[in-house]
Amino acid sequence: MRLKLIEEREYASYFLTVHDIVKFAANQKILHQGRGSAANSMICYCLGITQVDAVERKLLFERFISAARNEPPDIDVDFEHERA
């Protein structure tokens, strides 16, 4: 059901775009951390956007994406701004 909601709302490309950005940062050894309500979802954990395991922490999916709300997922990624 959760993946179906993501499919219905056409959010998959959004999650995959954030994943690509985070993957690029990791490959460049740029420190980064996903945050925002959706960033702590199981989807973001599986994509490597965050290190927060939503299942382990018993976080509800509806906290991140809800059929009742018509708004995109909230994912922010912080990047280090100074590099040695």
Side-chain angles (χ1 to χ4, degrees), residues 35-52:
R35 63 179 180 84
S37 62
N40 290 331
S41 70
M42 180 50 68
I43 302 297
C44 287
Y45 178 74
C46 290
L47 290 173
I49 295 169
T50 186
Q51 300 301 311
V52 176

Side-chain angles (χ1 to χ4, degrees), residues 21-60:
I21 293 167
V22 167
K23 185 176 176 182
F24 175 81
N27 288 339
Q28 298 298 312
K29 299 188 182 353
I30 298 171
L31 296 177
H32 59 280
Q33 176 61 48
R35 63 179 180 84
S37 62
N40 290 331
S41 70
M42 180 50 68
I43 302 297
C44 287
Y45 178 74
C46 290
L47 290 173
I49 295 169
T50 186
Q51 300 301 311
V52 176
D53 184 340
V55 172
E56 180 181 294
R57 295 183 186 227
K58 299 179 181 165
L59 301 174
L60 297 174

Side-chain angles (χ1 to χ4, degrees), residues 2 6 8 19 33 35 40 48 54 59 65 67-68 82:
R2 294 169 180 165
I6 290 171
E8 288 172 0
H19 163 71
Q33 176 61 48
R35 63 179 180 84
N40 290 331
L59 301 174
I65 302 171
E82 294 181 6

